[in-house]
Amino acid sequence: MHIPATSLLQSLAFFTFSAACVWVAGARLAYLADALADRFKLGKSLVGLLLLSLATSLPEVATTLSAAAQQSRNLVLNNLFGGIALQTAILAMADFWAHGPITNYPRKANHALEATLLVLLLSVTLIITNLGETFVFAGVGLGSLCIAVIYGGAIWLLRRYDASSDWVPVDLPDPEPLVFPAPTGLGQAGNVNLIWQAVFACIAILVFGLLLVVFADRIADQSGLGTGFIGVTLLAGATSLPELSTSIAAVRIGAYTMAISNIFGSNLIMLVLVFPADILFRSGPILQNTSPMVSLSLAFGLTVTSIYLVGLIVRRKPWIGSIGLDSILVMLTFLASIAAYYYVR
């Protein structure tokens, strides 16, 4: 994508405009996904895991593959792994719009299983990055292939488990959605119309998401902060904007399970993108000789996911205002991660 040269102030202005467009498109997509789930009798958690998470991850997909083709290892890994703690913190921020802790709402074990499989995949990735890619074939490491295989198994298990009800919590909060006016016209729109609107929202997320990446990279160079720190902060934040807008919109209309699955599903996608990135990265295995920031971002991803896993299992947890203690701990951990990234940059 060729964009004319801009000054730092112009880059910031275009970055802000693109962010606003991504926000609007992401929120609209959440309403459309909720309407389509109701129309086709699909589970909200399944829609969040497979449809919404993939749609909101389009900027990450494009950014990762583009950076890998340009042989930018640090930008690929810092953007992917740095976005995991950030996207989990997005779920914590969405808790402000829920009636009580958001992790109290799931009625099946799907989300706890999603978090557990995410912890597994994060742990395997952390082990690979610390050991280095020992086995390499055609420039692609066995570790990245292993991550892709585990991801495929995780999605298969989650889809199969979606219809199961062998674990049911008690003392559940009121399932009624919040009183919030969803966009008018969705109830009267036909199925084809809803699908086309969702397609256009996805295209808007992809296009303006890519513009966010372009201007985030320019801001990194023009501000002198470098792609390492920018990769795990501004760039990861830019590509995570769709998840933020869709999650908040989903919570505001009471689609709590869709919001949770959207974030966990997006984080799983962030990890499996290592495999296609490794194929495009021709300077050796992409998980070999990684920087300390990569291991640090994976460790923080493990921490925030584990906090929410505990929150999903422990149904009666302390509240502060209307926010669950688990969400507060996730936000504090994310803030600590920013300080840690700056320290090791």
Side-chain angles (χ1 to χ4, degrees):
M1 183 179 293
H2 176 71
I3 306 293
T6 54
S7 66
L8 177 57
L9 285 178
Q10 289 174 326
S11 297
L12 288 169
F14 283 118
F15 180 89
T16 303
F17 173 76
S18 300
C21 293
V22 167
W23 182 277
V24 172
R28 183 71 179 181
L29 184 61
Y31 300 134
L32 290 164
D34 184 67
L36 287 169
D38 291 335
R39 194 71 60 87
F40 291 101
K41 302 295 187 291
L42 301 174
K44 299 292 178 69
S45 60
L46 192 62
V47 170
L49 177 69
L50 299 181
L51 172 64
L52 203 58
S53 63
L54 179 59
T56 55
S57 295
L58 285 174
E60 281 97 343
V61 175
T63 304
T64 298
L65 300 184
S66 174
Q70 295 171 14
Q71 310 304 301
S72 180
R73 185 203 312 263
N74 285 337
L75 193 58
V76 170
L77 298 182
N78 290 333
N79 176 44
L80 287 180
F81 301 153
I84 292 173
L86 172 59
Q87 290 183 168
T88 311
I90 284 171
L91 187 59
M93 287 184 274
D95 210 343
F96 283 101
W97 285 267
H99 281 168
I102 194 171
T103 49
N104 279 0
Y105 282 90
R107 281 160 166 69
K108 294 192 294 184
N110 300 50
H111 300 89
L113 183 58
E114 289 168 9
T116 303
L117 292 171
L118 181 55
V119 166
L120 171 63
L121 209 51
L122 282 164
S123 302
V124 170
T125 307
L126 185 59
I127 291 170
I128 294 169
T129 56
N130 280 278
L131 288 177
E133 291 279 17
T134 305
F135 301 100
V136 182
F137 178 76
V140 178
L142 180 63
S144 61
L145 175 61
C146 180
I147 291 170
V149 171
I150 295 174
Y151 172 83
I155 295 300
W156 174 84
L157 181 60
L158 288 168
R159 288 190 62 185
R160 181 166 182 167
Y161 197 80
D162 188 64
S164 175
S165 59
D166 57 349
W167 182 93
V168 180
V170 297
D171 191 21
L172 297 171
D174 184 2
E176 292 301 317
L178 303 181
V179 181
F180 178 77
T184 58
L186 293 187
Q188 293 76 31
N191 293 343
V192 175
N193 186 295
L194 289 176
I195 291 172
W196 274 113
Q197 286 191 54
V199 170
F200 286 130
C202 290
I203 293 173
I205 287 173
L206 176 61
V207 172
F208 288 104
L210 288 176
L211 288 174
L212 280 173
V213 172
V214 169
F215 290 114
D217 191 44
R218 290 189 182 183
I219 292 169
D221 291 335
Q222 293 167 341
S223 65
L225 290 174
T227 56
F229 179 68
I230 287 292
V232 295
T233 54
L234 183 61
L235 184 55
T239 54
S240 295
L241 268 177
E243 285 84 0
L244 177 59
S245 60
T246 52
S247 296
I248 290 177
V251 168
R252 293 181 74 182
I253 59 175
Y256 302 109
T257 57
M258 189 167 68
I260 296 172
S261 289
N262 175 33
I263 295 301
F264 287 157
S266 295
N267 285 345
L268 286 168
I269 290 173
M270 300 281 266
L271 290 168
V272 77
L273 282 175
V274 168
F275 180 60
D278 202 358
I279 295 175
L280 292 173
F281 187 77
R282 305 317 302 158
S283 302
I286 200 166
L287 292 179
Q288 199 172 62
N289 303 319
T290 57
S291 67
M293 196 173 290
V294 170
S295 296
L296 195 60
S297 58
L298 286 168
F300 275 112
L302 274 168
T303 304
V304 293
T305 306
S306 299
I307 291 172
Y308 265 140
L309 178 57
V310 173
L312 288 164
I313 295 172
V314 179
R315 310 298 294 189
R316 294 185 177 89
K317 61 183 73 70
W319 299 14
I320 299 180
S322 62
I323 312 300
L325 179 60
D326 49 359
S327 291
I328 292 173
L329 291 175
V330 165
M331 285 189 281
L332 291 175
T333 303
F334 171 68
L335 292 175
S337 73
I338 297 298
Y341 297 149
Y342 185 79
Y343 179 75
V344 301
R345 75 190 191 284

